[in-house]
Amino acid sequence: MANTKMKALERLNEDLEKVYLGPLWEKLGKMVTPEPDHEVIPYLWKWKTIRKHLMEAGELLRLGRESERRVVYLQNPSLLKHGLIGYSTNTLYVGVQLLLPGEVAPAHRHSQSAIRFIIEGEGAYTSVDGERTYMERGDLILTPSWTWHDHGHEGTEPVIWMDGLDVGLVRNFAGSFFEPYSEDVFPVVGPHNGSTFKYSTGAFRPVMDRKRKGYPSPLIAYKWKTTKQVLENLSQLDPDPYDGYAVDYVNPLTGESADLRIGTTMQKLTPGMHTKAHRHVHSAVYHILDGEGYTVINGVKFEWSKGDFFILPPWSWHEHVNTGDEDAYLFSINDLPIMDRLNLEREETYEKNGGYQSIVDVFKPFSQL
């Protein structure tokens, strides 16, 4: 009798599948998992490799309406097989953009939020809704969702920066819109670097802006010299055991994340610092501004140096080590603001071995050859 019932149930499951229905009694564990379930893998790219290919693109590709941006993006290998092109994690996209002297990357706007983190060069600017902000190494520049933006270069050397967008998030919500501007450059409004003059300290609000509240952040550019000084001041105190000396970039009007959907963080690891391991639901993509060391992710050692990028998947044990003689600075973007707002964020500390993972392997880049 039990056998007959089992066969009838199997037949029912097959019949349901044929008409695009499904038996929850069979699939509940795949939908509501005990812990975060994903296919994002950690991966690391060396700066030398990225820069080589980007500069080659600079020789072969001109900017204009046929090619609006010259960018090499970080592709997570595990997500590519599902057709998720340009995904670093399920929510985050990261690319590395090159602008050459005299070039203009035409104005457009899109639903995706974007950040720029400047890696090398000077003389270029980003314009956001008409305010031009000139780029310097280590600066963070915001481009809030649906703001007109273009890039221009008035200097004499190549300028390279990191682009971070919430491409996966917007696509999953089916909320993507894109619109090119009628001209290459959006009309300039107000003085260059105007928001930096008004809000760079983050501790004061101009009286003229008392009625301005919430998003987008009134501060477009977070200058590296200010960020570095804040970290220097923080270094007089005890470090966070899991993140070292770290600060989040915030909206000066709200004290919350600088961008509504993309979190941004800068960490300082002093020579010899070894943080303890923890894990959290939000994913992140790291860029090494300066320094050398390694990060252990789920027992695998990812060795990094200046300019490198690596992916931290959701709910992955991780700890950082500075092996150099100088301070290491790690910039990262994350999806924490969204996880917080949806009440999905959770964090857990690693309790074994004094809080440090055992290294079972060392990362080596994959090869498709």
Side-chain angles (χ1 to χ4, degrees):
M1 182 63 112
N3 233 4
T4 303
K5 187 176 181 181
M6 185 68 73
K7 287 183 178 178
L9 198 55
E10 288 176 1
R11 189 164 54 249
L12 172 59
N13 293 346
E14 292 172 1
D15 290 343
L16 287 170
E17 185 177 339
K18 292 175 184 176
V19 292
Y20 297 100
L21 296 171
L24 184 62
W25 53 88
E26 289 283 339
K27 305 297 184 182
L28 178 60
K30 293 184 178 297
M31 300 180 197
V32 183
T33 58
E35 288 190 347
D37 183 32
H38 60 84
E39 295 191 25
V40 179
I41 62 169
Y43 202 82
L44 182 145
W45 293 265
K46 301 302 291 183
W47 176 239
K48 180 179 179 181
T49 302
I50 296 173
R51 194 180 190 282
K52 171 191 171 186
H53 292 304
L54 191 59
M55 296 309 292
E56 184 178 0
E59 297 174 0
L60 300 174
L61 193 64
R62 293 187 178 277
L63 293 189
R65 287 298 169 184
E66 294 183 2
S67 177
E68 297 202 5
R69 301 292 188 264
R70 186 191 294 110
V71 181
V72 171
Y73 57 80
L74 309 185
Q75 174 66 58
N76 193 301
S78 65
L79 300 180
L80 182 59
K81 64 184 179 182
H82 297 292
L84 301 179
I85 297 172
Y87 281 49
S88 295
T89 75
N90 285 324
T91 56
L92 300 172
Y93 157 99
V94 168
V96 184
Q97 183 163 176
L98 168 66
L99 198 64
L100 297 174
E103 289 186 328
V104 170
H108 62 213
R109 62 180 177 178
H110 41 66
S111 306
Q112 293 79 2
S113 289
I115 66 94
R116 326 286 172 192
F117 186 80
I118 316 310
I119 298 173
E120 71 171 62
E122 58 184 30
Y125 64 83
T126 285
S127 177
V128 179
D129 277 345
E131 180 183 323
R132 285 188 179 180
T133 295
Y134 283 84
M135 303 172 169
E136 297 176 305
R137 183 175 184 268
D139 290 355
L140 168 69
I141 297 175
L142 303 182
T143 310
S145 171
W146 209 241
T147 54
W148 293 108
H149 56 281
D150 54 78
H151 313 294
H153 196 337
E154 300 170 353
T156 59
E157 58 184 289
V159 174
I160 300 175
W161 65 84
M162 166 188 176
D163 289 325
L165 288 82
D166 52 355
V167 168
L169 178 75
V170 174
R171 177 175 172 177
N172 288 336
F173 285 150
S176 180
F177 291 90
F178 175 90
E179 182 180 0
Y181 189 63
S182 56
E183 304 291 338
D184 282 350
V185 177
F186 190 80
V188 175
V189 177
H192 301 337
N193 303 312
S195 67
T196 304
F197 298 146
K198 291 171 69 176
Y199 287 98
S200 60
T201 66
F204 303 95
R205 178 187 61 194
V207 170
M208 68 185 79
D209 284 353
R210 278 178 179 165
K211 294 183 179 180
R212 184 168 181 174
K213 295 180 173 65
Y215 287 95
S217 171
L219 179 58
I220 294 174
Y222 295 71
K223 305 300 287 184
W224 169 234
K225 60 183 179 182
T226 303
T227 308
K228 188 175 184 181
Q229 184 59 58
V230 170
L231 287 168
E232 197 65 34
N233 296 342
L234 197 61
S235 300
Q236 308 309 308
L237 308 174
D238 292 333
D240 181 273
Y242 305 100
D243 291 307
Y245 299 107
V247 293
D248 293 327
Y249 296 82
V250 299
N251 180 330
L253 295 182
T254 65
E256 297 182 1
S257 174
D259 182 83
L260 182 64
R261 303 192 298 246
I262 302 175
T264 44
T265 302
M266 177 65 78
Q267 293 173 252
K268 174 183 174 180
L269 307 176
T270 54
M273 180 177 284
H274 187 161
T275 67
K276 291 186 176 183
H278 68 155
R279 62 182 178 179
H280 39 64
V281 174
H282 70 267
S283 63
V285 183
Y286 281 78
H287 168 65
I288 313 304
L289 178 64
D290 282 310
E292 57 182 323
Y294 64 88
T295 295
V296 183
I297 305 176
N298 290 338
V300 179
K301 184 180 185 181
F302 289 77
E303 298 170 306
W304 42 256
S305 56
K306 179 179 177 179
D308 295 350
F309 288 82
F310 69 88
I311 289 172
L312 177 66
W315 207 237
S316 299
W317 296 115
H318 60 283
E319 62 198 77
H320 307 293
V321 184
N322 180 353
T323 60
D325 298 326
E326 304 290 336
D327 293 333
Y329 292 96
L330 283 63
F331 173 77
S332 60
I333 66 169
N334 59 66
D335 50 21
L336 176 58
I338 291 298
M339 296 303 167
D340 268 341
R341 279 176 172 75
L342 297 178
N343 198 28
L344 294 173
E345 180 62 4
R346 184 179 295 191
E347 183 178 356
E348 184 178 1
T349 58
Y350 192 78
E351 301 298 338
K352 303 174 186 177
N353 196 32
Y356 302 103
Q357 302 171 75
S358 298
I359 297 175
V360 297
D361 200 0
V362 177
F363 170 79
K364 294 181 179 59
F366 299 172
S367 175
Q368 296 190 44
L369 299 178

